[in-house]
Amino acid sequence: MQAIDILKQLKEKGVRFTPQRQAILEYLLGTDTHPTAEDIYNHVKAKFPGVSLGTIYNTLNMLKEHGHILELSYGDMSSRFDGNPENHYHVVCTDCGKVVDYHRPLLTMEDEVSEKTGFKVMGHRIEFYGVCPECQEALLH
Amino acid sequence: MQAIDILKQLKEKGVRFTPQRQAILEYLLGTDTHPTAEDIYNHVKAKFPGVSLGTIYNTLNMLKEHGHILELSYGDMSSRFDGNPENHYHVVCTDCGKVVDYHRPLLTMEDEVSEKTGFKVMGHRIEFYGVCPECQEALLH
DNA sequence: CTAGATGCAAATGATTTGCTAGAAT
DNA sequence: ATTCTAGCAAATCATTTGCATCTAG
């Protein structure tokens, strides 16, 4: 789905359509780099020099709450945002922090976990940790 | 393994044995609640009223670097620490933040991920998200 | 017009760091 | 006697919040 369509859909719910929001969402949908809020800020600043980080966070939180993007939080580092809201897995470089998608059939273990723990399980997340090809290369020198 | 044994082992590596460290590690090994640094701080304060949060963090980082404990980071919330350093999975309550262990055979997907992505995959992590029995109960009232 | 959004700056909260006195070896 | 650690306070950094101004509807 395009940024404009998502924002039109949100307008039905009383969320205003602003050019900043359009720029933020377009960038997120058009990249597979899982940018941080700061990455997005730097990119959007090219078109809207006056934009503030507060607006970036505000927009990202709004989009997340409506289920249009995912936030990937990694403890110490800043969160990364994913324009694909469908559950899928990620491979994270422990060296440079890069995150790449890993698509495969989802684990069907949630019911089993619910039964065994009594939790009402609503979702799950898998991350693989390793060193990306570029960092492996860099480590050789 | 007991706290004392781990600390004796670390002494060989030049890490000093202090009563604060012993108290921190003993608490971590004796609980399955995955406490936060603050939880540990509050507990250790009972025995060492003068202990500081800095010491807690310092000790936790030292233990983590030597592979004796795990840090579980969850974006917004504070990290939780696990005295069991073997990889195992967790179920997290999205309501109260409680974390419980979920033991099952580990996923054997790391080689496949390595092949498909070019990453040198060293580990992985799975979290299930849901609502714990207590919070389900609370939501009824 | 007017509720909701922006931009800015100040606040927050977890974690880290710098420093001095103190304790472990 | 050295060197690492504890305790404390100040610093850091990502993210949030308060508020006055502005703008989409």
Side-chain angles (χ1 to χ4, degrees):
Chain A
M1 194 154 39
Q2 295 298 306
I4 293 191
D5 301 317
I6 291 175
L7 289 171
K8 276 185 185 162
Q9 195 174 309
L10 286 171
K11 203 187 318 197
E12 314 288 295
K13 303 190 190 170
V15 175
R16 289 196 182 162
F17 186 115
T18 72
Q20 291 90 337
R21 287 177 172 178
Q22 183 181 358
I24 292 167
L25 185 50
E26 268 174 1
Y27 179 52
L28 253 183
L29 294 181
T31 184
D32 61 353
T33 59
H34 307 82
T36 63
E38 187 113 29
D39 293 336
I40 299 169
Y41 172 61
N42 289 327
H43 190 271
V44 172
K45 240 189 333 193
K47 196 179 259 178
F48 298 91
V51 78
S52 76
L53 250 179
T55 298
I56 307 292
Y57 278 109
N58 176 34
T59 299
L60 292 170
N61 285 334
M62 180 275 290
L63 290 169
K64 185 176 55 169
E65 273 154 30
H66 287 89
H68 291 289
I69 66 174
L70 294 181
E71 176 176 4
L72 311 171
S73 346
Y74 299 104
D76 47 337
M77 299 179 279
S78 20
S79 282
R80 287 164 163 276
F81 295 87
D82 191 328
N84 174 9
E86 309 285 320
N87 190 13
H88 58 280
Y89 304 142
H90 292 102
V91 193
V92 183
C93 179
T94 51
D95 216 56
C96 68
K98 182 190 305 164
V99 176
V100 310
D101 289 329
Y102 188 70
H103 292 281
R104 48 121 40 234
L106 295 183
L107 235 61
T108 55
M109 268 173 58
E110 294 186 5
D111 289 344
E112 175 193 319
V113 178
S114 290
E115 276 172 40
K116 295 214 176 156
T117 63
F119 276 60
K120 181 183 282 184
V121 176
M122 317 291 290
H124 71 277
R125 177 175 164 189
I126 305 185
E127 323 276 349
F128 295 92
Y129 297 101
V131 184
C132 72
E134 291 73 19
C135 287
Q136 287 175 49
E137 188 62 29
L139 289 174
L140 295 179
H141 306 306
Chain B
M1 194 155 39
Q2 295 299 305
I4 293 192
D5 300 317
I6 291 175
L7 289 172
K8 277 185 185 163
Q9 194 175 310
L10 287 170
K11 202 182 329 190
E12 315 287 297
K13 303 190 189 169
V15 175
R16 290 194 184 163
F17 186 115
T18 72
Q20 290 89 338
R21 287 177 172 176
Q22 183 182 357
I24 293 167
L25 186 51
E26 268 174 1
Y27 179 52
L28 254 183
L29 294 182
T31 185
D32 60 353
T33 59
H34 307 82
T36 63
E38 188 113 27
D39 293 336
I40 299 170
Y41 172 61
N42 289 326
H43 189 271
V44 172
K45 240 190 332 192
K47 196 178 256 177
F48 298 93
V51 78
S52 77
L53 250 178
T55 298
I56 306 292
Y57 277 109
N58 177 34
T59 298
L60 291 170
N61 284 333
M62 182 274 290
L63 290 169
K64 185 177 55 171
E65 273 153 30
H66 286 88
H68 292 290
I69 65 175
L70 295 180
E71 176 176 4
L72 312 171
S73 344
Y74 299 103
D76 46 337
M77 299 179 278
S78 19
S79 282
R80 287 165 163 274
F81 295 87
D82 191 327
N84 174 10
E86 309 285 320
N87 190 12
H88 58 280
Y89 305 143
H90 292 102
V91 193
V92 183
C93 179
T94 51
D95 215 57
C96 69
K98 183 189 305 164
V99 176
V100 308
D101 290 329
Y102 188 71
H103 292 282
R104 51 123 34 236
L106 294 184
L107 234 64
T108 56
M109 269 174 57
E110 293 186 6
D111 288 346
E112 175 193 320
V113 177
S114 290
E115 275 172 39
K116 295 213 176 155
T117 64
F119 276 59
K120 181 184 282 184
V121 175
M122 317 293 288
H124 70 276
R125 178 175 163 188
I126 305 185
E127 322 275 350
F128 295 92
Y129 298 100
V131 183
C132 72
E134 291 73 20
C135 287
Q136 288 176 50
E137 187 62 26
L139 289 175
L140 295 180
H141 306 307

